[in-house]
Amino acid sequence: MGGYFSRSNKEENGTKEVSKQPSNQLRSFVPNCPKYVLTRTGSMFFDADHDLAHEFYEEAAIQLSDGHIKLTLRRMKRNLRPQGIVELPHPRLHVDYPIVLTYVGPS
């Protein structure tokens, strides 16, 4: 088994040759995905009035047993359309792209 890089020791004419070619394990790990993400799926919804929000509430009147009416807010779950694809303000790194970020500060 090896790490990410295979080190094959080949003896040719008494010298050792170290190969730093990526092994098959690393090649299969690197996904065929873009490095940067430019869009994402929106998390908000449109209602029937074309308003955009994360949640919508409507006012509901509940008749109590003593004849009074109680007003409450009820969350709307129907007649909502998802926002769809949203462009990001600046590119972001893809979560599956194997890259290491380090901080190189003043010495």
Side-chain angles (χ1 to χ4, degrees), residues 29-37 93-99:
F29 177 71
V30 177
N32 293 328
C33 65
K35 187 188 254 187
Y36 299 108
V37 177
L93 289 174
H94 196 279
V95 69
D96 292 332
Y97 196 77
I99 191 168

Side-chain angles (χ1 to χ4, degrees), residues 2-3 10 12 24 26 31 39 44 48 51 61 68 71 79 84-85 95 105:
K10 297 178 184 175
E12 295 178 9
N24 289 337
L26 179 64
T39 59
M44 296 198 278
D51 293 327
H68 290 89
L71 297 175
N79 299 328
I85 302 296
V95 69

Side-chain angles (χ1 to χ4, degrees), residues 36-38 88-93:
Y36 299 108
V37 177
L38 303 174
L88 294 171
H90 49 82
R92 311 245 170 109
L93 289 174

Side-chain angles (χ1 to χ4, degrees), residues 45-105:
F45 296 92
F46 288 106
D47 68 346
D49 298 331
H50 303 290
D51 293 327
L52 182 67
H54 286 284
E55 295 178 322
F56 288 96
Y57 292 91
E58 62 184 353
E59 193 172 352
I62 299 174
Q63 180 76 31
L64 299 176
S65 60
D66 60 357
H68 290 89
I69 297 176
K70 180 180 177 183
L71 297 175
T72 62
L73 293 177
R74 183 172 35 181
R75 185 174 174 197
M76 291 176 55
K77 297 179 183 176
R78 296 185 182 158
N79 299 328
L80 297 177
R81 291 180 300 130
Q83 184 180 12
I85 302 296
V86 177
E87 289 190 18
L88 294 171
H90 49 82
R92 311 245 170 109
L93 289 174
H94 196 279
V95 69
D96 292 332
Y97 196 77
I99 191 168
V100 177
L101 299 175
T102 60
Y103 174 73
V104 181

